[in-house]
Amino acid sequence: MFDTFRDWERNRHEYAKAWKERTGGKVLGYFCTYVPEEILHAAGVLPVRILGSHEPQDVTEPHIFGMYCPFCRDCLAQGLKGRYDYLDGIMIAQSCLHIRQAYTSWEKHRPTEFSYYLCMPHHVQSPRALPYLTEELVQFKAAVEEWTGAGITDAALDEAIEVYNENRRLLHAVYDLRKGENPPLTGEEAMEMVIAGQMTDKAEHNRELKKILGELPDRGNGRDTGVRLMIIGSEDDDTEFMSMVESCGATFVVDEHCTGTRYFWNEVEQRENRLEAIAARYIDRVPCPTKDWVERKRIGHILELAQKWNVEGAVVMQQKFCDPHELDTPAIRKALEENGIKTLFLEFDVTVPVGQFKVRVEAFLEMLGEEDLFD
Amino acid sequence: MATKQIYETRPLECWGKAKEIRQQYYRDYATAHERGGLRWAGGAWTFGAIPSGLGDDVHSLTSEPYAASIAADKDFSIKCLEAAERAGYARDLCSYMRNYWGSVILNEYLGGGPFPKPDFIWQDHICCSHAKWYQVVCDHEPGIPHFCIDVAVGPAGEINDNKLDYLVGQMHDGIEWLEQVAGRTYDDGKLIEAVHNECRSTSLWAEVCELNKAVPAPLEEKTMFSLYVLGTLMKHSKVVADFYEELRDEVRDRVENRIAAIPNERCRLMSDTQPPWGFLSLFRYLESYGAISVGSLHTFGLIGVWEDRPDGSWGPRATPQQRGIAIEDRDKALRVLAEWNLHKPEWQHFYSPHLKTEMMVRIAKEWSLDGVMLHYNRGCEGLSLGIAENRLGLLDAGFPVMTFEGNMGDEREFDFSRTKTRIDTFMETLGFKQD
């Protein structure tokens, strides 16, 4: 049932090249989910998220000091190795320092006809962020129009907003099915589904989502749900890890990742000023820890997810050296534990030691099982 | 190879005064409550001029220099680092933060006694850690009010009204917040005075650094660390602005009279990022080769504010007063403060390492350098950002580069012997021998 998503996710380059050939449109690679894709979609551009390939890095050492996260180095490696050579443009919306380096090195060493650094504000809890970002989007829209040589109309923005909002609603609908006692999809499948949406035409992704939504309620996936887990943390497209955990008597029923719920959780609410509406969506979205200050608003959201999806345990992961997540991890684990949800913390690299992690995951699941034993 | 010339050298006359200002700063903070005053904590990069509007009895503890001082006290530092690790914080996080948090968690102040808890936190956010540094402090000391300003609006060359409005808007909100938190009426006159002082002190520091273009250099970087720190403590104060004027005059006199920082200057280098604070004798080791670090973008541009001169050289930015810009009210003061700080050289690389490379190449040329020592500093993700690209850019521009890995605030991540060996190799490559 999830073969199409898996195919898109695993053969992302073939998909983008075929799209480009079919439509004659431009493809833009982006480095962070704060990029307002709606504007690109309205311009007829296909935004694709640049992700790594989970191979040991062998080309980025001269460009990024090894104390930065493996994910940013893996992303840059894709550019340096020419795997995204079909891109017409690249951009980043300001988030963490780590991924910024992948963008700036890529821009210098693999220049594309268009590159853009969007100064997405960090102080999203300030009332000053909305007018600021709105004006930044005015400038961004103008830059895209100059690049593509065509204006972006309000009608095109409305259509893009609706396509993206529909995508968010559909993903919510699939995630809602995971609240049930026997979720009809695994965490691995959910991850592939969301990631596939980050690198494909959203209208096409919507069609596929509607198709599986029609079939999922009746799907018997032939597996025990086991322990209901949640996964929380930084960028994570490690489907191998998800698969390993779900082979140990557990199911990830929900996540809090930028490759998951953080990406699609909230919609654009229509306003007369379309760019202001888009700006509001990105300011109000579930924040990346880089922007979750002065209050830590993300923790309340995580607890709500855990409660609504009836989570028994949480894997709190992060990319090695990810400062923003490291700064939140102790507070998140404390909040979860205080609410009766045990946590397992794991640090990910480009490749994960599946064998070692399996031992730790099994011990964690066993510990959760013991709780039931002595209740 | 250059001939072995010996220059006259002598200690700085104002050295003792710099030390006294620093010591008084930490005493003032610790004892503020005894005099009915207020204490605030925040980063060295924060807009410290703004809380000045609450009165003359409002004293700060800036986090980075405090943590650097801890780092130089190796016994206390290891206690702090381990306390932070026991509390669950990753060892690869900013070592300034971990030293600072450790001091809070242990409730031990470097100067003795319990950690003097601030009345409020006044921070700014440019790297991933700045705002969150104090989130963690508040986790351990609940109830401290915390305000933080986002300054990440892009490089100086792209400043426009929208970007300034965002910053200035947050500053206005911050002043309303300060009034509520402190229960005091804000004095715009004191703000205006502090803004003038900040522009004066940061321009003067750039002028001091510019004087180091002279051969022989009147200052070496180890000394400069002890001088620029005053700007990281209270760049908006009249005390620091006046001191930097006195320092500028003395350094100018040294240049005119060819008074050198080291007697045997033969090789001119610059470093990058904060040094490993517990191992500043590294700079003395350089001297055995007649090598001097004349500064760095860090020492020049963390505090100093610069501009292009008509002749194309880099010099201190003219202050608003020197440019005839009148500051009549709060909004104008905040706008000047925001615009001034956005020109800080040390803020530019957050948007592109290539902007930093341009400045480093410019320093290498204008300060007549023979080579560059880059500290790949595991302790600071903010200032090590893009450092590998800086290396490539400097090499492209024809400057020899040596790198060494370390950590500004965690001695467990610095290998002194290995670093000295790298220096030996670098010096040999450059053609310099030990005296």
Side-chain angles (χ1 to χ4, degrees):
Chain A
M1 189 182 289
F2 285 82
D3 289 351
T4 303
F5 294 130
R6 181 164 301 157
D7 178 54
W8 287 342
E9 190 260 330
R10 295 194 179 169
N11 301 298
R12 61 195 70 169
H13 303 305
E14 288 70 21
Y15 176 92
K17 286 174 194 168
W19 181 92
K20 195 170 171 175
E21 196 173 319
R22 188 172 75 243
T23 65
K26 293 179 185 291
V27 182
L28 176 140
Y30 69 89
F31 288 88
C32 170
T33 55
Y34 273 95
V35 164
E37 291 179 57
E38 291 87 345
I39 295 171
L40 295 161
H41 183 94
V45 173
L46 176 67
V48 297
R49 185 173 184 186
I50 293 169
L51 295 173
S53 62
H54 296 278
E55 298 161 282
Q57 75 87 25
D58 55 358
V59 291
T60 58
E61 200 65 26
H63 301 282
I64 299 180
F65 177 24
M67 69 174 262
Y68 293 94
C69 84
F71 172 64
C72 75
R73 286 179 277 138
D74 199 9
C75 286
L76 176 61
Q78 306 313 304
L80 296 177
K81 290 182 172 182
R83 290 175 180 164
Y84 279 92
D85 56 4
Y86 53 86
L87 293 181
D88 303 290
I90 56 167
M91 78 171 289
I92 191 167
Q94 187 165 259
S95 52
C96 73
L97 299 184
H98 298 247
I99 196 66
R100 225 177 275 187
Q101 293 178 108
Y103 168 77
T104 51
S105 287
W106 190 311
E107 186 187 36
K108 182 171 177 69
H109 302 288
R110 291 289 181 274
T112 49
E113 63 182 40
F114 178 79
S115 63
Y116 201 89
Y117 185 112
L118 176 68
C119 271
M120 174 73 206
H122 293 305
H123 199 177
V124 292
Q125 293 175 20
S126 164
R128 309 290 179 171
L130 180 60
Y132 168 65
L133 181 58
T134 303
E135 179 57 30
E136 290 294 305
L137 294 188
V138 169
Q139 291 171 31
F140 172 59
K141 175 173 167 277
V144 173
E145 287 172 332
E146 189 183 337
W147 173 40
T148 59
I152 300 172
T153 64
D154 278 352
L157 284 171
D158 287 343
E159 191 266 340
I161 289 169
E162 181 44 35
V163 168
Y164 273 71
N165 278 349
E166 182 180 28
N167 189 256
R168 292 162 183 143
R169 288 193 293 271
L170 292 167
L171 288 168
H172 267 279
V174 175
Y175 268 57
D176 279 346
L177 294 172
R178 303 168 74 193
K179 288 177 179 167
E181 198 172 330
N182 294 303
L185 68 161
T186 63
E188 182 191 9
E189 288 168 333
M191 179 178 273
E192 283 171 333
M193 171 183 71
V194 180
I195 294 172
Q198 296 183 341
M199 45 193 58
T200 52
D201 183 329
K202 281 286 188 293
E204 199 171 353
H205 194 249
N206 287 349
R207 284 194 291 276
E208 190 62 23
L209 284 171
K210 284 179 196 162
K211 192 175 129 198
I212 65 149
L213 268 169
E215 300 166 3
L216 270 176
D218 300 322
R219 186 192 198 200
N221 60 6
R223 63 186 297 279
D224 290 330
T225 300
V227 179
R228 299 176 67 87
L229 294 178
M230 176 178 189
I231 185 161
I232 300 164
S234 62
E235 188 283 334
D236 177 16
D237 59 333
D238 203 316
T239 52
E240 189 183 350
F241 173 79
M242 301 293 280
S243 169
M244 178 275 286
V245 175
E246 294 185 317
S247 72
C248 297
T251 301
F252 285 110
V253 294
V254 71
D255 68 79
E256 206 274 332
H257 277 324
C258 62
T259 45
T261 55
R262 280 208 301 276
Y263 175 65
F264 67 80
W265 204 249
N266 65 328
E267 294 184 24
V268 177
E269 292 173 16
Q270 280 288 7
R271 299 183 186 198
E272 182 57 34
N273 180 341
R274 276 74 168 174
L275 296 182
E276 186 183 76
I278 293 169
R281 188 267 165 190
Y282 286 88
I283 283 168
D284 294 337
R285 62 165 269 189
V286 180
C288 166
T290 56
K291 301 184 193 301
D292 198 20
W293 52 269
V294 171
E295 268 183 72
R296 276 202 191 88
K297 293 193 168 177
R298 197 171 139 239
I299 290 181
H301 175 69
I302 289 169
L303 292 176
E304 193 180 329
L305 290 179
Q307 188 256 324
K308 286 186 174 167
W309 269 260
N310 194 21
V311 166
E312 295 168 86
V315 173
V316 180
M317 61 69 66
Q318 62 164 78
Q319 292 286 329
K320 192 172 169 65
F321 305 133
C322 174
D323 302 80
H325 281 274
E326 284 173 344
L327 282 154
D328 278 355
T329 293
I332 287 171
R333 293 186 74 188
K334 182 167 178 273
L336 285 165
E337 304 265 351
E338 283 173 355
N339 283 274
I341 298 165
K342 292 275 186 282
T343 63
L344 171 67
F345 175 70
L346 294 172
E347 205 172 52
F348 280 30
D349 207 324
V350 168
T351 57
V352 298
V354 174
Q356 290 173 30
F357 278 7
K358 188 171 184 187
V359 171
R360 294 180 65 183
V361 166
E362 284 173 342
F364 179 59
L365 296 174
E366 201 173 301
M367 183 186 74
L368 292 174
E370 280 172 6
E371 297 247 316
D372 294 338
L373 194 65
F374 294 109
D375 270 349
Chain B
M1 192 189 303
T3 53
K4 289 192 176 181
Q5 186 172 353
I6 298 298
Y7 301 103
E8 182 186 348
T9 184
R10 73 168 81 116
L12 273 176
E13 288 172 17
C14 63
W15 183 254
K17 192 168 185 178
K19 200 171 168 183
E20 174 51 31
I21 291 170
R22 183 168 168 273
Q23 286 171 341
Q24 187 62 41
Y25 169 84
Y26 286 110
R27 276 197 300 269
D28 282 345
Y29 175 79
T31 61
H33 285 177
E34 294 167 19
R35 300 185 305 280
L38 293 171
R39 298 196 293 230
W40 64 269
W45 304 20
T46 197
F47 297 101
I50 296 176
S52 298
L54 292 176
D56 297 332
D57 58 348
V58 178
H59 298 281
S60 67
L61 179 69
T62 50
S63 38
E64 294 91 342
Y66 176 66
S69 300
I70 294 176
D73 181 338
K74 291 179 189 171
D75 291 338
F76 186 49
S77 178
I78 197 71
K79 277 176 66 183
C80 290
L81 295 168
E82 288 179 351
E85 283 157 24
R86 279 195 302 276
Y89 299 102
R91 192 169 154 168
D92 53 85
L93 282 168
C94 162
S95 55
Y96 279 169
M97 278 193 314
R98 290 184 289 121
N99 275 302
Y100 188 96
W101 293 339
S103 180
V104 172
I105 292 166
L106 294 169
N107 194 27
E108 287 183 38
Y109 192 47
L110 179 62
F115 186 86
K117 186 174 163 179
D119 298 304
F120 62 89
I121 291 161
W122 179 256
Q123 176 66 309
D124 70 349
H125 187 75
I126 187 145
C127 79
C128 294
S129 303
H130 266 76
K132 302 190 79 72
W133 179 322
Y134 284 101
Q135 260 184 338
V136 172
V137 170
C138 293
D139 288 340
H140 293 276
E141 291 281 4
I144 305 175
H146 177 190
F147 194 90
C148 186
I149 293 174
D150 175 20
V151 299
V153 295
E158 296 174 15
I159 296 173
N160 58 32
D161 284 344
N162 185 49
K163 292 169 188 290
L164 274 178
D165 288 347
Y166 176 53
L167 243 75
V168 173
Q170 292 177 82
M171 290 171 163
H172 277 292
D173 296 342
I175 289 175
E176 284 179 23
W177 179 89
L178 283 172
E179 284 186 309
Q180 283 175 11
V181 165
R184 293 184 178 191
T185 304
Y186 195 80
D187 184 338
D188 288 338
K190 290 191 186 303
L191 167 70
I192 292 167
E193 186 186 338
V195 171
H196 277 306
N197 284 332
E198 177 163 334
C199 295
R200 189 161 71 94
S201 67
T202 52
S203 178
L204 279 163
W205 175 251
E207 199 175 342
V208 169
C209 298
E210 187 196 15
L211 288 165
N212 241 21
K213 287 179 180 175
V215 179
L219 297 171
E220 46 81 39
E221 197 174 18
K222 183 173 179 293
T223 301
M224 294 170 85
F225 291 140
S226 299
L227 300 169
Y228 91 141
V229 74
L230 301 181
T232 69
L233 301 178
M234 43 179 185
K235 54 188 176 293
H236 54 276
S237 74
K238 184 172 185 305
V239 172
V240 171
D242 287 349
F243 174 78
Y244 279 161
E245 196 165 313
E246 188 180 332
L247 173 68
R248 187 271 320 269
D249 291 345
E250 187 181 347
V251 175
R252 185 187 282 159
D253 181 70
R254 288 170 74 95
V255 171
E256 285 167 1
N257 292 288
R258 287 173 67 81
I259 306 298
I262 66 168
N264 56 342
E265 177 182 317
R266 297 192 295 276
C267 169
R268 293 166 66 89
L269 306 171
M270 71 171 164
S271 72
D272 188 46
T273 84
Q274 307 91 324
W277 289 110
F279 301 90
L280 292 181
S281 56
L282 187 70
F283 291 88
R284 291 281 172 260
Y285 186 69
L286 288 176
E287 290 170 23
S288 67
Y289 283 95
I292 177 174
S293 178
V294 299
S296 62
L297 186 69
H298 176 64
T299 41
F300 292 0
L302 175 65
I303 294 305
V305 179
W306 300 71
E307 68 184 3
D308 289 333
R309 288 237 176 79
D311 65 0
S313 66
W314 219 28
R317 192 169 192 220
T319 64
Q321 277 180 323
Q322 288 165 339
R323 285 183 285 161
I325 296 169
I327 303 178
E328 313 91 350
D329 56 26
R330 180 186 297 184
D331 187 69
K332 183 69 178 174
L334 297 180
R335 201 159 280 272
V336 166
L337 186 65
E339 196 265 352
W340 184 265
N341 275 277
L342 288 174
H343 279 83
K344 197 189 285 284
E346 196 75 319
W347 280 8
Q348 309 309 312
H349 74 284
F350 285 103
Y351 310 104
S352 171
H354 314 303
L355 294 172
K356 180 173 168 185
T357 299
E358 284 172 19
M359 289 186 283
M360 293 175 94
V361 168
R362 152 175 247 170
I363 293 171
K365 288 177 179 167
E366 293 185 31
W367 273 256
S368 312
L369 302 188
D370 299 291
V372 181
M373 294 168 51
L374 298 179
H375 179 202
Y376 276 38
N377 180 0
R378 288 188 171 270
C380 182
E381 57 141 8
L383 298 194
S384 292
L385 185 74
I387 197 164
E389 287 289 353
N390 299 142
R391 174 183 164 272
L392 293 176
L394 284 159
L395 290 171
D396 276 350
F399 291 96
V401 181
M402 165 202 151
T403 65
F404 64 102
E405 253 185 67
N407 191 313
M408 64 194 177
D410 188 340
E411 66 159 326
R412 297 168 300 182
E413 291 196 324
F414 183 68
D415 186 333
F416 197 19
S417 300
R418 194 175 71 172
T419 305
K420 284 199 282 192
T421 306
R422 289 182 80 92
I423 289 173
D424 293 340
T425 308
F426 189 50
M427 287 295 128
E428 190 179 329
T429 315
L430 295 178
F432 295 100
K433 292 195 169 119
Q434 273 180 310
D435 287 333

